[in-house]
Each structure stands twice: as structure tokens, then as C-alpha cells.
């Protein structure tokens, strides 16, 4: 099933960068059970700036010194927090979120932003989810690398 899922993600990507990544966020939001937010933050002017998303209202800017998204961005690594209430420095854009998975997005070797997925339950994601969503993040990264203006 994972390859079919990834094929669908690839099929959503065309020459409309914003529309394409918005459609991927929508696809993930609609197909992943028990999630309440899926979207992107992109690095601009020493902050993470909100990109396309699906779900509840979100923080429009995030500092790079606190929060799960900032940690994933700074560490250049997938960051999974099973219970955000136990994460020092968590930014509560939505009080209903309980667990969070953040995957860095790259333009070549440079981290340009993150794919952020929130869930209203603790311990939402298992290793299979993390592996599959890491593949999705790699597909999005490769796609964005072809569009320097959107991905720089």
C-alpha cells in the first residue's frame, strides 16, 4: 500500500508549486487518521513562516529557538514528540494537539522548511508512519528543489 500512497503523492505535483504542496497537505490530512493539522513552514528571515496547510488555525510565524518545528529544522532531522505537553518549549498553536511529527524539507543539502503533522491523541505515529511520511518529505524536497524561487 505504501508505494500506491507515494505514487498518489507524486501525481499531485505539477508546475503549480503552491497548489501542488497544498494538495499534498490535503491528501495527507484526508488519508491519515487521527490528525488535526498537516502543513508546511518555510525558512524566511530567520523564522519559520506558515505555508499551505489543512486543519485548525495555525501560528503564522515561528521562532527558530523553540518548538518542535524549530528543533527539526535546526537538527535537520525527523522529530517525533509523543506528547507535546512533555516537550519543553512546545508552542501551542492549537491546544487540542497532543502529538507532533515534523520532517525537514531540503533543497539539495540545505534545510528550507518542514512538513508538520499534528494529532489530537498522544503517541499517534508508529515507525511505519514515520518511515512512510519521511518518504513523502523526500518526494516534496526533490520536487521543491526543482523550483528555486519556492525552495530557496
Amino acid at each position: 500500500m505504501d508505494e500506491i500512497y507515494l505514487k498518489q503523492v507524486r501525481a499531485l505535483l505539477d508546475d503549480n508549486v503552491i497548489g501542488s504542496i497544498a494538495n499534498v497537505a490535503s491528501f495527507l490530512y484526508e488519508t491519515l487518521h487521527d490528525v488535526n493539522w498537516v502543513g508546511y513552514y518555510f525558512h524566511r528571515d530567520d523564522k519559520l513562516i506558515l505555508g499551505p496547510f489543512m486543519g485548525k488555525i495555525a501560528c503564522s510565524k515561528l521562532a527558530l529557538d523553540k518548538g518542535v518545528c524549530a528543533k527539526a529544522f535546526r537538527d535537520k532531522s525527523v522529530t517525533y514528540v509523543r506528547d507535546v505537553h512533555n516537550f519543553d518549549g512546545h508552542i501551542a498553536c492549537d491546544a487540542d494537539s497532543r502529538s507532533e511529527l515534523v520532517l525537514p524539507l531540503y533543497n539539495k543539502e540545505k534545510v528550507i522548511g518542514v512538513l508538520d503533522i499534528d494529532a489530537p491523541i498522544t503517541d499517534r505515529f508508529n515507525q511505519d508512519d514515520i518511515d512512510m511520511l519521511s518518504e513523502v518529505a523526500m518526494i516534496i524536497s526533490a520536487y521543491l528543489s526543482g523550483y528555486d524561487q519556492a525552495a530557496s
Side-chain angles (χ1 to χ4, degrees):
M1 178 173 152
D2 285 348
E3 191 51 45
I4 293 170
Y5 196 86
L6 298 174
K7 185 176 181 178
Q8 179 63 44
V9 168
R10 287 183 193 96
L12 294 170
L13 304 173
D14 61 25
D15 63 349
N16 175 354
V17 177
I18 300 300
S20 292
I21 64 173
N23 276 336
V24 172
S26 180
F27 175 72
L28 295 175
Y29 185 79
E30 294 296 325
T31 59
L32 296 171
H33 65 88
D34 295 324
V35 299
N36 58 348
W37 200 89
V38 177
Y40 308 91
Y41 282 94
F42 291 102
H43 184 235
R44 298 281 188 272
D45 302 323
D46 294 322
K47 294 179 192 72
L48 292 173
I49 304 299
L50 181 64
F53 71 94
M54 293 295 295
K56 297 185 168 207
I57 293 171
C59 298
S60 64
K61 297 176 187 174
L62 300 173
L64 293 177
D65 61 347
K66 68 183 231 180
V68 182
C69 289
K71 179 176 176 22
F73 180 84
R74 285 190 323 267
D75 294 350
K76 300 179 182 181
S77 66
V78 173
T79 303
Y80 175 41
V81 177
R82 288 174 163 70
D83 185 347
V84 295
H85 296 291
N86 293 328
F87 183 85
D88 188 35
H90 175 252
I91 299 169
C93 297
D94 172 19
D96 291 337
S97 290
R98 294 297 307 249
S99 56
E100 186 170 3
L101 176 62
V102 183
L103 307 111
L105 300 172
Y106 295 88
N107 182 356
K108 299 173 181 63
E109 300 297 316
K110 179 182 175 188
V111 179
I112 59 166
V114 297
L115 171 60
D116 183 17
I117 306 170
D118 295 351
I121 58 174
T122 57
D123 208 18
R124 158 59 187 89
F125 301 97
N126 62 36
Q127 192 59 51
D128 288 340
D129 295 325
I130 294 168
D131 292 344
M132 193 254 320
L133 291 164
S134 294
E135 287 287 328
V136 169
M138 288 192 306
I139 291 167
I140 295 165
S141 292
Y143 167 75
L144 291 175
S145 291
Y147 293 93
D148 287 334
Q149 186 177 11
S152 59

